[in-house]
Amino acid sequence: MTGEGIFLGKGEAGGGAQTLLLRRANRHGLVTGATGTGKTVTLQVLAEGFSNAGVPVFAADIKGDLSGLAAPGNGAAPFVKRAAEIGVDYVPDSFPVTFWDVFGEQGHPVRASVSDMGPLLLSRLLDLNETQEGILNIVFRVADEQGLLLLDLKDLRAMLAHVAENAPQLTVQYGNVARQSVGAIQRRLLVLENQNAEKFFGEPALDIADLIRTDRDGRGIVNILAADRLMNNPRLYATFLLWLLSELFEHLPEVGDPDKPVLVFFFDEAHLLFDGAPKALLEAVERVVRLIRSKGVGVYFVTQNPLDIPDAVLGQLGNRVQHALRAYTPRDQRAVRAAAETFRQNPAFDTQQAITELGVGEALVSLLDAKGAPEIVARTLIAPPAARVGPLTAAERAEAIARSLMRGRYDTAIDRESAYEVLTNRTRETADSAGAPPGEAGVLGDIGGLLGSIFGTSRPRGQRLSTGQTIARDVTNQVLGQLAASVGRSLGGQTGSSIGRAIVRGTLGGILRR
């Protein structure tokens, strides 16, 4: 790293140094190239440079390779040779890294509350229509007016059921509340739950300030999100990304063009972000790339093909690093032409031809100059990274997590009283105060009447369960499952477990019938 920028590499055939100016780093960037051409190494070199400049970094790590930033390089012969070729010393180094993971397995958990997400982002994430979005807004409004916290998905489900139950009253005040629309929202939530979204929604929610930190030496913290599993859950990843970007918009002040970025985001394998992404996500990314520059945030996409990036986003990416592309198919050929046409041409070589001839560790580089204009494209040898190239071992990652300053801050989920618990308590209090008239069955009849009022078994045929009865039934299902397991264990073995379940079904199963 130089005083004003990050040394990325040196131009071939006597070309000059390629330096990414820190004052222009918030104008975003793009790193593209075929598999195995050196994209991840380039990303690592940039992340190291930003960290040394005191700029915090956030990177979504698809393959686990970026975790090596936490360990010094091993002085591999190719890197030492490359350093000598471009006239720099190879000095192994490690960098301050914080690991994050939505699933809480390979890093500190990342969570957001449903309230933090808000009805607008949830509606866009769930791809709701206008009517469904209106109902979701009513749900949030009613929860706010009644002081009911929406922290996790069970809170949102309980509130949706509560709104459906009270639809006649709410329709007068807010407009039509159709049960069918509520059901459609519930089904969309089920899709998220099937992708383990319940691990993301909850508390403690991630504080954006914890991503914007430096260590005691003034180096920027590199925040690495374990995204290997996350990429198999596109809706969950979209949820995380939309929330994170909205938090940045809400909390970061306008700073214009600072001397260096406040934060830099790297999205490795960015094609996974856009492939099949909901329209809302695409619009959010486009808006962020267009507007977040003035917040001092730089966004860098790393992908195989420039065509993977929507045009509205591609046009906003000022700093470009193009590794080799292979023109085997018509689409590949279009990608090569498109990539070549986006550069400011260099009369010394044919850009389109050069893209197909680049070797591993070589790239065509065009960075913004001091005036913000793109420089002439240069064929460049990329500098070697100082940290390890490749993932940490499981033991090394666990050690890094154990000594992290974030240890204990997010590791334990908090389930405080919120909408679900309040509505459940209301149902119990209603049942207790309602009681039941004595019948011919005596005490057993009293008990049966009370249970019937709680679980809805005494309702007329065709009448729907109330919110409280639905919640009570779900809670009892869980209790009965635990009871069956306990009875089974006491009786011993698999046979005992089966007997336990049969006993519970025979005794109380009728209560839970719809």
mmCIF file of all heavy atoms in Angstrom, residues 84-111:
data_model
loop_
_atom_site.group_PDB
_atom_site.id
_atom_site.type_symbol
_atom_site.label_atom_id
_atom_site.label_comp_id
_atom_site.label_asym_id
_atom_site.label_seq_id
_atom_site.Cartn_x
_atom_site.Cartn_y
_atom_site.Cartn_z
ATOM 1 N N ALA A 84 9.297 -10.434 -6.927
ATOM 2 C CA ALA A 84 10.554 -9.993 -7.529
ATOM 3 C C ALA A 84 10.316 -9.403 -8.920
ATOM 4 O O ALA A 84 10.950 -8.410 -9.314
ATOM 5 C CB ALA A 84 11.532 -11.161 -7.597
ATOM 6 N N GLU A 85 9.400 -9.994 -9.693
ATOM 7 C CA GLU A 85 9.108 -9.514 -11.047
ATOM 8 C C GLU A 85 8.541 -8.111 -11.062
ATOM 9 O O GLU A 85 8.812 -7.327 -11.983
ATOM 10 C CB GLU A 85 8.136 -10.472 -11.742
ATOM 11 C CG GLU A 85 8.744 -11.820 -12.102
ATOM 12 C CD GLU A 85 7.709 -12.771 -12.685
ATOM 13 O OE1 GLU A 85 6.501 -12.516 -12.521
ATOM 14 O OE2 GLU A 85 8.124 -13.777 -13.300
ATOM 15 N N ILE A 86 7.753 -7.773 -10.048
ATOM 16 C CA ILE A 86 7.157 -6.441 -10.038
ATOM 17 C C ILE A 86 7.920 -5.467 -9.135
ATOM 18 O O ILE A 86 7.492 -4.330 -8.940
ATOM 19 C CB ILE A 86 5.681 -6.506 -9.606
ATOM 20 C CG1 ILE A 86 5.538 -7.058 -8.182
ATOM 21 C CG2 ILE A 86 4.877 -7.345 -10.577
ATOM 22 C CD1 ILE A 86 4.088 -7.100 -7.696
ATOM 23 N N GLY A 87 9.045 -5.935 -8.569
ATOM 24 C CA GLY A 87 9.925 -5.036 -7.837
ATOM 25 C C GLY A 87 9.510 -4.709 -6.428
ATOM 26 O O GLY A 87 9.769 -3.596 -5.939
ATOM 27 N N VAL A 88 8.860 -5.641 -5.724
ATOM 28 C CA VAL A 88 8.484 -5.414 -4.327
ATOM 29 C C VAL A 88 8.991 -6.579 -3.490
ATOM 30 O O VAL A 88 9.279 -7.662 -4.008
ATOM 31 C CB VAL A 88 6.955 -5.270 -4.157
ATOM 32 C CG1 VAL A 88 6.440 -4.063 -4.917
ATOM 33 C CG2 VAL A 88 6.242 -6.529 -4.594
ATOM 34 N N ASP A 89 9.099 -6.360 -2.194
ATOM 35 C CA ASP A 89 9.504 -7.422 -1.277
ATOM 36 C C ASP A 89 8.280 -8.238 -0.858
ATOM 37 O O ASP A 89 7.196 -7.692 -0.635
ATOM 38 C CB ASP A 89 10.163 -6.833 -0.030
ATOM 39 C CG ASP A 89 11.470 -6.124 -0.350
ATOM 40 O OD1 ASP A 89 12.146 -6.565 -1.302
ATOM 41 O OD2 ASP A 89 11.793 -5.125 0.319
ATOM 42 N N TYR A 90 8.484 -9.547 -0.747
ATOM 43 C CA TYR A 90 7.402 -10.390 -0.248
ATOM 44 C C TYR A 90 7.562 -10.531 1.257
ATOM 45 O O TYR A 90 8.546 -11.092 1.753
ATOM 46 C CB TYR A 90 7.436 -11.771 -0.906
ATOM 47 C CG TYR A 90 6.366 -12.689 -0.356
ATOM 48 C CD1 TYR A 90 5.053 -12.577 -0.795
ATOM 49 C CD2 TYR A 90 6.664 -13.640 0.616
ATOM 50 C CE1 TYR A 90 4.061 -13.398 -0.283
ATOM 51 C CE2 TYR A 90 5.676 -14.464 1.135
ATOM 52 C CZ TYR A 90 4.373 -14.339 0.680
ATOM 53 O OH TYR A 90 3.398 -15.139 1.197
ATOM 54 N N VAL A 91 6.582 -9.984 2.005
ATOM 55 C CA VAL A 91 6.621 -10.021 3.465
ATOM 56 C C VAL A 91 5.324 -10.662 3.960
ATOM 57 O O VAL A 91 4.252 -10.041 3.874
ATOM 58 C CB VAL A 91 6.771 -8.611 4.059
ATOM 59 C CG1 VAL A 91 6.825 -8.686 5.583
ATOM 60 C CG2 VAL A 91 8.008 -7.918 3.505
ATOM 61 N N PRO A 92 5.380 -11.895 4.462
ATOM 62 C CA PRO A 92 4.158 -12.535 4.974
ATOM 63 C C PRO A 92 3.541 -11.726 6.110
ATOM 64 O O PRO A 92 4.245 -11.107 6.918
ATOM 65 C CB PRO A 92 4.651 -13.893 5.479
ATOM 66 C CG PRO A 92 5.925 -14.135 4.731
ATOM 67 C CD PRO A 92 6.553 -12.785 4.564
ATOM 68 N N ASP A 93 2.221 -11.717 6.173
ATOM 69 C CA ASP A 93 1.526 -10.960 7.210
ATOM 70 C C ASP A 93 0.140 -11.552 7.402
ATOM 71 O O ASP A 93 -0.404 -12.210 6.509
ATOM 72 C CB ASP A 93 1.411 -9.484 6.804
ATOM 73 C CG ASP A 93 1.085 -8.577 7.984
ATOM 74 O OD1 ASP A 93 1.034 -9.080 9.122
ATOM 75 O OD2 ASP A 93 0.878 -7.360 7.758
ATOM 76 N N SER A 94 -0.416 -11.339 8.575
ATOM 77 C CA SER A 94 -1.803 -11.725 8.849
ATOM 78 C C SER A 94 -2.598 -10.458 9.148
ATOM 79 O O SER A 94 -2.026 -9.401 9.427
ATOM 80 C CB SER A 94 -1.880 -12.694 10.036
ATOM 81 O OG SER A 94 -1.335 -12.099 11.205
ATOM 82 N N PHE A 95 -3.919 -10.582 9.136
ATOM 83 C CA PHE A 95 -4.771 -9.408 9.274
ATOM 84 C C PHE A 95 -5.866 -9.652 10.298
ATOM 85 O O PHE A 95 -6.267 -10.803 10.537
ATOM 86 C CB PHE A 95 -5.367 -9.044 7.904
ATOM 87 C CG PHE A 95 -4.315 -8.632 6.907
ATOM 88 C CD1 PHE A 95 -3.615 -9.594 6.194
ATOM 89 C CD2 PHE A 95 -3.996 -7.304 6.719
ATOM 90 C CE1 PHE A 95 -2.624 -9.230 5.291
ATOM 91 C CE2 PHE A 95 -3.011 -6.927 5.821
ATOM 92 C CZ PHE A 95 -2.321 -7.894 5.108
ATOM 93 N N PRO A 96 -6.353 -8.576 10.920
ATOM 94 C CA PRO A 96 -7.410 -8.742 11.928
ATOM 95 C C PRO A 96 -8.722 -9.145 11.264
ATOM 96 O O PRO A 96 -9.252 -8.428 10.410
ATOM 97 C CB PRO A 96 -7.509 -7.348 12.566
ATOM 98 C CG PRO A 96 -6.995 -6.401 11.520
ATOM 99 C CD PRO A 96 -5.945 -7.164 10.766
ATOM 100 N N VAL A 97 -9.248 -10.286 11.653
ATOM 101 C CA VAL A 97 -10.437 -10.843 11.014
ATOM 102 C C VAL A 97 -11.490 -11.159 12.070
ATOM 103 O O VAL A 97 -11.178 -11.657 13.151
ATOM 104 C CB VAL A 97 -10.082 -12.124 10.227
ATOM 105 C CG1 VAL A 97 -11.344 -12.845 9.756
ATOM 106 C CG2 VAL A 97 -9.194 -11.799 9.033
ATOM 107 N N THR A 98 -12.746 -10.854 11.734
ATOM 108 C CA THR A 98 -13.889 -11.290 12.538
ATOM 109 C C THR A 98 -14.771 -12.155 11.658
ATOM 110 O O THR A 98 -15.148 -11.744 10.553
ATOM 111 C CB THR A 98 -14.697 -10.098 13.074
ATOM 112 O OG1 THR A 98 -13.862 -9.296 13.925
ATOM 113 C CG2 THR A 98 -15.902 -10.582 13.874
ATOM 114 N N PHE A 99 -15.095 -13.345 12.140
ATOM 115 C CA PHE A 99 -15.907 -14.279 11.364
ATOM 116 C C PHE A 99 -17.368 -14.174 11.784
ATOM 117 O O PHE A 99 -17.687 -14.138 12.976
ATOM 118 C CB PHE A 99 -15.415 -15.718 11.557
ATOM 119 C CG PHE A 99 -14.063 -15.975 10.962
ATOM 120 C CD1 PHE A 99 -12.935 -16.077 11.773
ATOM 121 C CD2 PHE A 99 -13.910 -16.099 9.592
ATOM 122 C CE1 PHE A 99 -11.689 -16.315 11.229
ATOM 123 C CE2 PHE A 99 -12.669 -16.340 9.032
ATOM 124 C CZ PHE A 99 -11.548 -16.445 9.850
ATOM 125 N N TRP A 100 -18.253 -14.163 10.778
ATOM 126 C CA TRP A 100 -19.701 -14.115 11.002
ATOM 127 C C TRP A 100 -20.359 -15.264 10.251
ATOM 128 O O TRP A 100 -19.860 -15.715 9.228
ATOM 129 C CB TRP A 100 -20.282 -12.787 10.510
ATOM 130 C CG TRP A 100 -19.661 -11.571 11.126
ATOM 131 C CD1 TRP A 100 -18.625 -10.833 10.638
ATOM 132 C CD2 TRP A 100 -20.039 -10.944 12.360
ATOM 133 N NE1 TRP A 100 -18.320 -9.789 11.485
ATOM 134 C CE2 TRP A 100 -19.180 -9.836 12.550
ATOM 135 C CE3 TRP A 100 -21.024 -11.217 13.315
ATOM 136 C CZ2 TRP A 100 -19.276 -8.993 13.651
ATOM 137 C CZ3 TRP A 100 -21.123 -10.388 14.423
ATOM 138 C CH2 TRP A 100 -20.265 -9.296 14.575
ATOM 139 N N ASP A 101 -21.503 -15.699 10.759
ATOM 140 C CA ASP A 101 -22.227 -16.789 10.112
ATOM 141 C C ASP A 101 -23.698 -16.713 10.530
ATOM 142 O O ASP A 101 -24.006 -16.707 11.723
ATOM 143 C CB ASP A 101 -21.635 -18.141 10.524
ATOM 144 C CG ASP A 101 -22.284 -19.324 9.806
ATOM 145 O OD1 ASP A 101 -23.140 -19.093 8.935
ATOM 146 O OD2 ASP A 101 -21.924 -20.469 10.124
ATOM 147 N N VAL A 102 -24.594 -16.614 9.548
ATOM 148 C CA VAL A 102 -26.021 -16.572 9.849
ATOM 149 C C VAL A 102 -26.444 -17.789 10.659
ATOM 150 O O VAL A 102 -27.319 -17.697 11.527
ATOM 151 C CB VAL A 102 -26.839 -16.470 8.539
ATOM 152 C CG1 VAL A 102 -28.318 -16.737 8.782
ATOM 153 C CG2 VAL A 102 -26.651 -15.097 7.903
ATOM 154 N N PHE A 103 -25.815 -18.933 10.414
ATOM 155 C CA PHE A 103 -26.171 -20.160 11.116
ATOM 156 C C PHE A 103 -25.409 -20.325 12.432
ATOM 157 O O PHE A 103 -25.650 -21.273 13.177
ATOM 158 C CB PHE A 103 -25.913 -21.369 10.218
ATOM 159 C CG PHE A 103 -26.679 -21.325 8.933
ATOM 160 C CD1 PHE A 103 -26.059 -20.951 7.753
ATOM 161 C CD2 PHE A 103 -28.031 -21.619 8.904
ATOM 162 C CE1 PHE A 103 -26.764 -20.900 6.566
ATOM 163 C CE2 PHE A 103 -28.750 -21.565 7.725
ATOM 164 C CZ PHE A 103 -28.119 -21.200 6.550
ATOM 165 N N GLY A 104 -24.473 -19.426 12.717
ATOM 166 C CA GLY A 104 -23.754 -19.470 13.981
ATOM 167 C C GLY A 104 -22.801 -20.627 14.121
ATOM 168 O O GLY A 104 -22.412 -20.970 15.246
ATOM 169 N N GLU A 105 -22.368 -21.236 13.008
ATOM 170 C CA GLU A 105 -21.511 -22.407 13.077
ATOM 171 C C GLU A 105 -20.041 -22.070 12.795
ATOM 172 O O GLU A 105 -19.150 -22.608 13.440
ATOM 173 C CB GLU A 105 -21.997 -23.466 12.080
ATOM 174 C CG GLU A 105 -23.391 -23.987 12.386
ATOM 175 C CD GLU A 105 -23.929 -24.891 11.300
ATOM 176 O OE1 GLU A 105 -23.232 -25.025 10.252
ATOM 177 O OE2 GLU A 105 -25.018 -25.466 11.472
ATOM 178 N N GLN A 106 -19.798 -21.202 11.819
ATOM 179 C CA GLN A 106 -18.435 -20.866 11.441
ATOM 180 C C GLN A 106 -18.062 -19.431 11.799
ATOM 181 O O GLN A 106 -17.062 -18.902 11.311
ATOM 182 C CB GLN A 106 -18.244 -21.069 9.928
ATOM 183 C CG GLN A 106 -18.511 -22.482 9.462
ATOM 184 C CD GLN A 106 -18.269 -22.629 7.978
ATOM 185 O OE1 GLN A 106 -17.123 -22.572 7.508
ATOM 186 N NE2 GLN A 106 -19.329 -22.815 7.207
ATOM 187 N N GLY A 107 -18.843 -18.841 12.666
ATOM 188 C CA GLY A 107 -18.574 -17.477 13.084
ATOM 189 C C GLY A 107 -19.644 -17.006 14.043
ATOM 190 O O GLY A 107 -20.562 -17.758 14.417
ATOM 191 N N HIS A 108 -19.536 -15.752 14.454
ATOM 192 C CA HIS A 108 -20.535 -15.187 15.356
ATOM 193 C C HIS A 108 -21.876 -15.079 14.632
ATOM 194 O O HIS A 108 -21.921 -14.699 13.461
ATOM 195 C CB HIS A 108 -20.082 -13.812 15.840
ATOM 196 C CG HIS A 108 -18.740 -13.817 16.517
ATOM 197 N ND1 HIS A 108 -18.524 -14.445 17.725
ATOM 198 C CD2 HIS A 108 -17.546 -13.288 16.145
ATOM 199 C CE1 HIS A 108 -17.251 -14.296 18.069
ATOM 200 N NE2 HIS A 108 -16.644 -13.605 17.129
ATOM 201 N N PRO A 109 -22.982 -15.392 15.318
ATOM 202 C CA PRO A 109 -24.291 -15.343 14.658
ATOM 203 C C PRO A 109 -24.647 -13.931 14.190
ATOM 204 O O PRO A 109 -24.262 -12.931 14.810
ATOM 205 C CB PRO A 109 -25.258 -15.808 15.758
ATOM 206 C CG PRO A 109 -24.410 -16.556 16.737
ATOM 207 C CD PRO A 109 -23.068 -15.888 16.703
ATOM 208 N N VAL A 110 -25.361 -13.868 13.093
ATOM 209 C CA VAL A 110 -25.876 -12.605 12.562
ATOM 210 C C VAL A 110 -27.395 -12.671 12.644
ATOM 211 O O VAL A 110 -28.012 -13.579 12.091
ATOM 212 C CB VAL A 110 -25.438 -12.379 11.101
ATOM 213 C CG1 VAL A 110 -25.983 -11.057 10.590
ATOM 214 C CG2 VAL A 110 -23.923 -12.407 10.986
ATOM 215 N N ARG A 111 -27.992 -11.707 13.343
ATOM 216 C CA ARG A 111 -29.443 -11.706 13.505
ATOM 217 C C ARG A 111 -30.009 -10.313 13.249
ATOM 218 O O ARG A 111 -29.317 -9.307 13.392
ATOM 219 C CB ARG A 111 -29.849 -12.140 14.916
ATOM 220 C CG ARG A 111 -29.379 -13.512 15.342
ATOM 221 C CD ARG A 111 -29.941 -13.858 16.719
ATOM 222 N NE ARG A 111 -29.339 -15.074 17.251
ATOM 223 C CZ ARG A 111 -28.226 -15.102 17.972
ATOM 224 N NH1 ARG A 111 -27.603 -13.967 18.262
ATOM 225 N NH2 ARG A 111 -27.734 -16.241 18.420
#
